């Protein structure tokens, strides 16, 4: 009788603990929103592939750390408009009880959502935008910048070319927060390495004709024409530059500061060959990345993952592991747990989260192969060197982020 009473007491205690843990998950479900570009210039690097990546992360966590949890993923197209993104994020948080938002491709979109999440709570995980403001003057205790930023791209490409003697630069820049930030960071790196910036020209997002901008850049006589844009814009600019043979001579070089694997695929090796740029993930880097990419490709219409999509996977998986470990989806508690737990997954190497919310990790300087070097579909890149995590991202010294101790 005594043993039975003790056993029933132990069972009651266990049930009580389980019920308490579940009660700390609001509504009994962890809900993640993927807010991305589904139809515009950044849809190939994010878009549907980002949703696929988030679903893969959910499935992997449910098999391990998240067993027994109820998880839902929703998605929406922000149309590259900050007001639409903020409205959808507000609706998700207020009405649909979304706990975290991922991807957020487009810097203006990301900044608007970062501001909202500061007020509303919830976790924001930025894998698609590049602006460094997310972890500097606009940093947030519940905002995490996951894969790359304008500094990481500039530190790789601009530094490498300037050190090779390509000292004078002219920028063709997309005219919004992302482009301005990319141009500034690249300019700073060029100047720090003894180079000069002779000028710049701005173009609208999703431009169709780059001829006048490229002719201005060519006329500058700069050794390097730096493309401070991305997505469909950088693809169009490179194609048109090749057509006019701009930047292909010995005296002038074309450098794309933000290129994704999807861009190389769109361009084709004949056009893209020789491009040097920085990347945070390449599917053929090691056995782990190849296994991840094989799964992803089967779910995403035969396309290999970009670093944005790989970053969505890593950020969502780390978030879910942190919720499981904290037994709560309270954003303050989860943010602390995310900083506490190590980042370990199939796509990130030597990764950690700094106080400012910047996720630092190894980056790679890559070069696009020639058609003769490629051995098959998606075999586009060769890794020239690894840029260590502590060198790939902007130091926190002098940062404007109020989370960084002065």
């Amino acid at each position: 009788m005594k043993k039975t009473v003790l056993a029933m007491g132990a069972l009651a205690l266990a049930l009580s603990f389980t019920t308490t843990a579940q009660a700390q998950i609001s509504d009994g479900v962890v809900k993640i929103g993927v807010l991305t570009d589904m139809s515009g210039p950044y849809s190939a690097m994010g878009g549907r592939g980002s949703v696929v990546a988030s679903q893969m992360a959910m499935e992997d966590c449910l098999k391990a750390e998240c067993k027994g949890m109820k998880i839902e993923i929703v998605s929406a197209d922000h149309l590259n408009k900050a007001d639409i993104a903020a409205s959808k994020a507000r609706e998700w948080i207020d009405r649909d009880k979304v706990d975290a938002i991922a991807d957020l491709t487009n810097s203006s979109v990301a900044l608007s959502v970062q501001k909202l999440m500061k007020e509303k709570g919830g976790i924001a995980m930025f894998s698609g935008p590049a602006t460094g403001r997310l972890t500097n003057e606009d940093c947030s205790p519940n905002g995490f910048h996951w894969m790359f930023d304008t500094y990481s791209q500039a530190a790789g490409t601009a530094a490498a070319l300037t050190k090779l003697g390509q000292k004078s630069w002219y920028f063709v820049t997309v005219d919004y927060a992302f482009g301005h930030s990319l141009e500034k960071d690249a300019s700073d790196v060029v100047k720090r390495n003894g180079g000069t910036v002779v000028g710049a020209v701005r173009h609208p997002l999703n431009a169709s004709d780059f001829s006048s901008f490229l002719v201005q850049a060519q006329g500058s006589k700069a050794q390097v024409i730096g493309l401070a844009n991305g997505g469909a814009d950088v693809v169009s600019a490179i194609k048109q530059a090749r057509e006019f043979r701009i930047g292909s001579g010995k005296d002038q070089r074309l450098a794309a500061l933000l290129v994704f694997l999807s861009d190389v695929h769109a361009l084709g090796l004949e056009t893209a060959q020789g491009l040097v740029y920085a990347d945070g993930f390449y599917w053929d880097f090691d056995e782990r990345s190849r296994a991840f990419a094989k799964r992803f490709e089967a779910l995403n219409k035969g396309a290999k993952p970009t670093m944005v999509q790989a970053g969505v996977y890593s950020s969502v998986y780390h978030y879910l592991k942190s919720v499981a470990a904290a037994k709560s989806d309270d954003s303050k508690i989860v943010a602390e747990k995310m900083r506490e737990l190590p980042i370990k997954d199939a796509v990130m190497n030597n990764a950690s989260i700094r106080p400012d919310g910047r996720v630092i990790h190894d980056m790679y300087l890559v070069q696009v192969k020639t058609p003769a070097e490629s051995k098959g579909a998606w075999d586009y890149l060769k890794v020239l060197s690894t840029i260590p995590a502590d060198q790939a991202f902007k130091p926190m010294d002098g940062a404007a982020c109020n989370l960084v101790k002065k």
Side-chain angles (χ1 to χ4, degrees), residues 44-56:
M45 70 187 196
R48 181 182 181 276
S50 289
V51 179
V52 167
S54 67
Q55 291 169 339
M56 288 174 62

Side-chain angles (χ1 to χ4, degrees), residues 33-37 75-94 98 101-117 120 124 126 129:
V34 180
L35 192 53
T36 184
D37 178 2
S75 62
D77 188 347
H78 56 52
L79 301 176
N80 288 295
K81 295 181 179 180
D83 57 339
I84 290 176
S87 177
K88 174 53 68 174
R90 185 181 298 276
E91 176 186 299
W92 274 351
I93 294 168
D94 291 344
V98 166
I101 301 179
D103 190 337
L104 294 154
T105 300
N106 183 304
S107 292
S108 296
V109 161
L111 290 168
S112 70
V113 173
Q114 177 88 309
K115 182 180 179 181
L116 177 71
M117 298 294 266
K120 290 283 188 179
F126 307 99

Side-chain angles (χ1 to χ4, degrees), residues 187-329:
S187 297
D188 290 345
V189 170
V190 167
K191 293 171 186 176
R192 195 159 54 243
N193 284 281
T196 58
V197 176
V198 300
V201 64
R202 303 278 171 84
H203 71 81
L205 177 64
N206 213 12
S208 58
D209 185 3
F210 284 84
S211 57
S212 63
F213 308 119
L214 291 168
V215 168
Q216 288 183 61
Q218 184 182 42
S220 72
K221 306 299 181 183
Q223 291 173 293
V224 181
I225 298 174
L227 300 178
N229 52 15
D233 283 333
V234 76
V235 170
S236 297
I238 293 171
K239 282 182 177 179
Q240 291 177 39
R242 296 300 196 208
E243 288 172 7
F244 293 109
R245 302 189 63 79
I246 293 173
S248 58
K250 292 182 179 180
D251 297 329
Q252 200 168 58
R253 182 170 189 162
L254 193 68
L257 297 177
L258 185 58
V259 177
F260 298 90
L261 188 67
S262 54
D263 300 328
V264 177
H265 183 71
L267 286 163
L269 292 183
E270 192 65 44
T271 300
Q273 61 181 305
L275 280 175
V276 175
Y277 65 94
D279 207 323
F281 172 82
Y282 182 48
W283 71 267
D284 200 21
F285 183 74
D286 58 21
E287 288 300 324
R288 290 183 313 148
S289 59
R290 283 189 283 273
F292 169 78
K294 185 176 181 180
R295 285 177 59 205
F296 179 92
E297 183 179 18
L299 297 168
N300 194 45
K301 299 182 178 179
K304 295 290 189 184
T306 66
M307 67 170 163
V308 172
Q309 293 154 349
V312 170
Y313 171 86
S314 177
S315 62
V316 170
Y317 195 2
H318 189 70
Y319 167 75
L320 289 172
K321 287 191 291 186
S322 300
V323 171
K327 296 183 174 63
S328 172
D329 60 355

